[in-house]
Amino acid sequence: MKTITVFKGDGIGPEITDAVLDILKAAKAPLEYEIFNVGAAEYEKNGALIPDAAFASFEKTRILLKSPITTPVGKGFRSLNVTLRNKYDLYANIRPAKSNAAVPTPFPNVDIVTFRENTEDLYIGVEYKMNDDTVQAIKLITRKASERIIRAAFDYAVANGRKKVTCVHKANILKMSDGMFLDIFREIAKEYPQIESDDKIVDNTCMQLVMYPENFDVMVMPNLYGDIVSDLTSGLIGGLGLLPSMNVGDDFAMFEAVHGSAPDIAGKHIANPTAFLWSACMMLEYIGETDVAANIRSAVDAVLAENQCLTPDLGGKATTEAYRDAVIAHLK
């Protein structure tokens, strides 16, 4: 049995966490859980966004399954996602977007994996008020962070039979910061002659993604572009409810859905747990439980293909719990 840490989050977080844990149990995943409430509701209750015991648990288990946490817009506390990524040096954010035949979109052949540098760029959150009408934000790009995310993308391509890695940047304008990222990409690409490599300016990338998504395979980029572009790829496959992610470093790994906490539908029992469930499958694969992950993925595919028990975001009327039960019923 492997013990993992679970953060329930807020908004729809508790609902989808319960659904996913029920499916993991039904699939006989060899896991034990240390579960903690985190986020705004926990702060109002106990004065801490993340309890000390929750940090201690993650530092012991080194595996975290984290559901969405509300982040205030324009004020209040800093994103807990960013805090966790920085605190535990989770430098690689990996977001796979793959079409599913059961979810109709104009893009049936999408199979793209985005590697997003996770610890620097504008996400360091350093801003200065120069005067009442002017604010300056700092964009940080370092060789160390650039090298390890780029190398991680190429290593993934080799290990998973991928054919191409594309560097996404804005080096035509940001000639020093993005220019260095691009130079490092070109240096490292020479070490992987079996993998095709190219680069694209970020705005052109967005246009090309919605015109010719089949031309993309693995993409690697600095933090901000990765956040935006990976959300775009989720739109190609049917929405954020279908996009899982993992955040990994040398010592710790965190698995989470890309979507937010959706407080507007919290408590209505209509949230789609698929992205969080697929994130849990990425976690299972990470710890070597590939057969359990494959069983769950197959069950989800079957439910989607039947088109009988889908949550509202996928065009259905099912509750979160009904969808959960349908997935469990299709487990082998």
Side-chain angles (χ1 to χ4, degrees):
M1 299 292 284
K2 171 72 175 173
T3 301
I4 68 165
T5 303
V6 178
F7 286 3
K8 270 197 167 184
D10 47 30
I12 61 171
E15 298 166 54
I16 63 173
T17 301
D18 289 344
V20 166
L21 293 182
D22 287 344
I23 293 169
L24 290 172
K25 181 179 179 180
K28 296 181 171 57
L31 299 171
E32 293 181 345
Y33 309 100
E34 296 183 356
I35 302 173
F36 299 90
N37 295 317
V38 302
E42 176 65 17
Y43 180 81
E44 292 172 6
K45 203 172 183 181
N46 297 311
L49 294 165
I50 301 178
D52 289 342
F55 282 122
S57 173
F58 184 27
E59 288 164 11
K60 178 182 67 176
T61 66
R62 298 176 181 263
I63 303 289
L64 172 61
L65 184 62
K66 187 192 75 64
S67 72
I69 299 172
T70 303
T71 300
V73 176
K75 60 181 179 179
F77 60 85
R78 193 180 182 204
S79 166
L80 291 184
N81 294 338
V82 173
T83 299
L84 287 165
R85 292 165 188 164
N86 289 337
K87 181 177 177 65
Y88 297 104
D89 198 25
L90 304 173
Y91 62 83
N93 184 204
I94 305 166
R95 298 181 172 185
K98 187 173 184 179
S99 299
N100 188 300
V103 182
T105 74
F107 310 100
N109 300 310
V110 175
D111 188 1
I112 302 168
V113 182
T114 301
F115 273 71
R116 167 192 177 190
E117 200 291 315
N118 224 8
T119 64
E120 53 183 34
D121 197 5
L122 287 168
Y123 278 65
I124 62 172
V126 176
E127 299 177 297
Y128 298 99
K129 186 174 182 180
M130 302 175 72
N131 57 53
D132 288 343
D133 301 310
T134 307
V135 174
Q136 180 186 47
I138 302 298
K139 176 185 174 84
L140 177 70
I141 301 291
T142 67
R143 174 168 290 275
K144 176 185 175 182
S146 301
E147 285 181 347
R148 63 185 184 177
I149 190 64
I150 292 166
R151 200 173 297 281
F154 276 101
D155 287 342
Y156 177 93
V158 171
N160 292 275
R162 296 282 178 158
K163 297 180 179 178
K164 182 171 71 171
V165 178
T166 299
C167 176
V168 180
H169 61 89
K170 193 66 178 175
N172 57 326
I173 303 299
L174 298 167
K175 298 182 186 296
M176 295 180 68
S177 54
D178 282 22
M180 183 175 72
F181 190 90
L182 178 57
D183 287 343
I184 294 169
F185 174 83
R186 289 171 174 166
E187 292 169 10
I188 292 176
K190 295 175 184 176
E191 302 174 22
Y192 299 84
Q194 73 274 42
I195 304 295
E196 180 185 350
S197 63
D198 67 354
D199 68 90
K200 286 182 171 58
I201 296 170
V202 62
D203 40 324
N204 179 43
T205 299
C206 294
M207 180 187 72
Q208 296 288 335
L209 277 168
V210 297
M211 294 179 69
Y212 313 108
E214 66 277 5
N215 291 342
F216 292 86
D217 192 350
V218 177
M219 300 189 294
V220 62
M221 62 203 76
N223 204 337
L224 178 61
Y225 311 145
D227 197 3
I228 296 168
V229 169
S230 62
D231 273 22
L232 192 159
T233 64
S234 79
L236 300 178
I237 63 170
L240 286 172
L242 300 172
L243 193 73
S245 79
M246 60 188 292
N247 304 265
V248 296
D250 294 332
D251 301 310
F252 298 91
M254 176 174 74
F255 301 83
E256 61 178 346
V258 171
H259 60 71
S261 59
D264 56 318
I265 63 169
K268 296 182 179 180
H269 299 277
I270 58 173
N272 179 5
T274 304
F276 194 40
L277 180 57
W278 278 341
S279 300
C281 288
M282 294 178 76
M283 177 195 69
L284 289 168
E285 290 157 353
Y286 179 83
I287 64 175
E289 296 295 337
T290 54
D291 290 344
V292 180
N295 188 14
I296 295 172
R297 289 184 187 277
S298 178
V300 173
D301 286 344
V303 172
L304 294 177
E306 283 181 350
N307 198 30
Q308 296 297 312
C309 195
L310 304 181
T311 48
D313 63 305
L314 297 177
K317 297 182 179 179
T319 64
T320 306
E321 292 74 21
Y323 179 87
R324 172 204 63 196
D325 293 344
V327 172
I328 290 174
H330 281 86
L331 291 170
K332 297 177 183 177

